[in-house]
């Protein structure tokens, strides 16, 4: 004879809790050792391919860091930004086709595609594109002299990519620090982590169109013609360098004009001297809740490296898909 109905109802919540606990325990978790048995040389393979790509194309590092950020901030770190519009025969354009992603450099995409090809030869169908991108970003920071840190693995790739998901999820170059803090908070990241991640601007470049409003026809600057937060000599140099940007939108300037090829704290040292290239860079110095961290990093490389490494690990965990939530895509530039 079965249990009385009343007792069965009392036991039901306990059964549901037990089921949920078992499911949680069974759900895969990210781990640096995720591929220990299935693809033990994964990190070496990615490292070798990425290092060769960086030697051949030195802009790869900064571009890959930006690619990683753009991927993780739109529906999580799931390689959805890697999908090429050319791979889709129908449906909505992928994230890569969104206006803000059109300037993502081809070398960054190519680096991931090359690493995927090498891994498919060694461990077919095992390593996700999302994990490859996370490893590539970490390795390239180290190649440029930045911190080295462990990367937890086990991400799955997304089954979808839609350009309509992008708007509102990525920081714009004219955003205020307060708005950026809110954006990052929505992804579970603190102001401290946000300022640390902004330090990636110590390498790479920005197209003149992204900061033209600061150097041409700027209003409210007492007739200066440029944003008064910019060092006057720097502003004049930018005006000369970017003079033809309308006819040639590829014209660009290093984000850090002091040590543009080194991953260091110079980005933060530049800010109080009016050498922050983007309006969003200058905003970090003006807003007290973010300035405190910029000041700290400007005077302490160790603090910057430690916080950047920690922030990258936290960024790499944003919205990840594991187990049946995603797939291991055969190609990183396609959904099949």
């Amino acid at each position: 004879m079965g249990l009385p109905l009343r007792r069965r109802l009392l036991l039901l919540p306990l059964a549901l809790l037990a089921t949920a606990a078992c499911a949680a325990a069974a759900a895969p978790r990210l781990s640096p050792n995720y591929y220990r048995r299935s693809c033990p040389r994964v990190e070496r393979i990615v490292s070798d391919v990425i290092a060769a790509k960086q030697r051949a194309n030195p802009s790869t590092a900064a571009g890959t860091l930006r690619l990683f950020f753009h991927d993780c901030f739109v529906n999580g770190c799931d390689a959805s930004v890697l999908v090429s519009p050319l791979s889709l025969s129908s449906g909505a354009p992928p994230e890569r086709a969104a206006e803000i992603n059109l300037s993502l450099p081809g070398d960054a995409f190519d680096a991931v595609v090359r690493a995927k090809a090498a891994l498919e030869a060694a461990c077919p169908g095992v390593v996700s594109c999302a994990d490859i991108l996370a490893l590539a970003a970490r390795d390239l920071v180290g190649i440029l002299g930045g911190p080295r840190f462990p990367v937890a693995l086990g991400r799955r790739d997304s089954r979808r990519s839609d350009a309509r998901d992008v708007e509102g999820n990525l920081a714009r170059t004219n955003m205020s620090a307060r708005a950026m803090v809110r954006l990052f908070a929505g992804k579970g990241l603190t102001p401290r982590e946000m300022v640390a991640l902004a330090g990636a601007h110590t390498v790479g470049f920005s197209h003149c169109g992204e900061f033209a409003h600061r150097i041409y026809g700027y209003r409210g600057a007492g007739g200066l013609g440029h944003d008064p937060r910019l060092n006057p000599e720097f502003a004049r140099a930018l005006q000369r360098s970017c003079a033809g940007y309308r006819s040639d939108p590829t014209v660009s300037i290093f984000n850090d004009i002091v040590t543009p090829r080194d991953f260091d704290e110079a980005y933060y040292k530049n800010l109080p001297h009016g050498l922050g290239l983007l309006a969003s860079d200058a905003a970090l110095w003006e807003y007290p809740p973010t300035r405190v961290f910029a000041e700290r990093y400007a005077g302490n490389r160790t603090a910057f490296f430690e916080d950047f490494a920690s922030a990258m690990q936290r960024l790499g965990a944003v919205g990840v898909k594991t187990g049946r939530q995603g797939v291991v895509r055969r190609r990183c530039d396609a959904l099949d």
Side-chain angles (χ1 to χ4, degrees), residues 3-243:
L3 291 171
L5 177 60
R6 178 179 176 83
R7 189 174 179 188
R8 277 184 284 164
L9 290 175
L10 288 173
L11 291 175
L12 183 59
L14 294 176
L16 291 174
L17 284 173
T19 301
C22 290
R29 295 184 179 182
L30 300 187
S31 166
N33 299 317
Y34 184 82
Y35 297 109
R36 181 176 57 186
R37 294 182 179 177
S38 58
C39 192
R41 296 184 63 247
V42 56
E43 296 202 35
R44 171 55 61 187
I45 292 171
V46 172
S47 177
D48 289 347
V49 172
I50 294 303
K53 179 65 180 178
Q54 175 65 14
R55 286 193 298 271
N57 302 95
S59 64
T60 300
T64 303
L65 276 171
R66 187 170 171 231
L67 188 62
F68 183 53
F69 178 88
H70 280 225
D71 184 46
C72 292
F73 259 49
V74 180
N75 297 327
C77 308
D78 60 5
S80 52
V81 75
L82 301 177
V83 178
S84 170
L86 299 177
S87 71
L88 303 177
S89 58
S90 62
E95 291 174 26
R96 188 168 170 177
E99 177 268 333
I100 196 172
N101 285 335
L102 294 178
S103 61
L104 290 170
D107 284 327
F109 291 100
D110 185 58
V112 178
V113 168
R114 287 170 181 257
K116 177 65 170 177
L119 285 165
E120 284 298 299
C123 316
V126 172
V127 182
S128 69
C129 301
D131 277 344
I132 294 171
L133 180 54
L135 287 170
R138 184 276 307 275
D139 289 347
L140 287 163
V141 168
I143 289 173
L144 296 183
R148 298 180 181 274
F149 50 91
V151 172
L153 303 169
R155 299 167 189 78
R156 290 298 179 110
D157 300 324
S158 177
R159 297 182 178 92
R160 65 184 296 275
S161 179
D162 192 326
R164 293 170 294 187
D165 295 340
V166 175
E167 187 59 37
N169 279 302
L170 294 171
R172 295 281 180 173
T173 57
N174 60 351
M175 258 188 176
S176 69
R178 187 187 298 271
M180 288 189 289
V181 166
R182 287 197 299 268
L183 176 64
F184 275 68
K187 310 299 179 184
L189 298 170
T190 66
R192 178 175 181 171
E193 290 165 335
M194 183 190 86
V195 178
L197 290 170
H201 283 182
T202 191
V203 294
F205 56 83
S206 294
H207 294 101
C208 291
E210 296 182 80
F211 55 86
H213 64 284
R214 302 190 73 197
I215 59 176
Y216 298 122
Y218 191 90
R219 298 182 179 181
L224 291 175
H226 62 76
D227 187 337
R229 296 174 296 179
L230 283 169
N231 177 289
E233 185 177 347
F234 183 42
R236 288 191 291 271
L238 292 175
Q239 289 169 342
R240 292 192 297 270
S241 298
C242 293

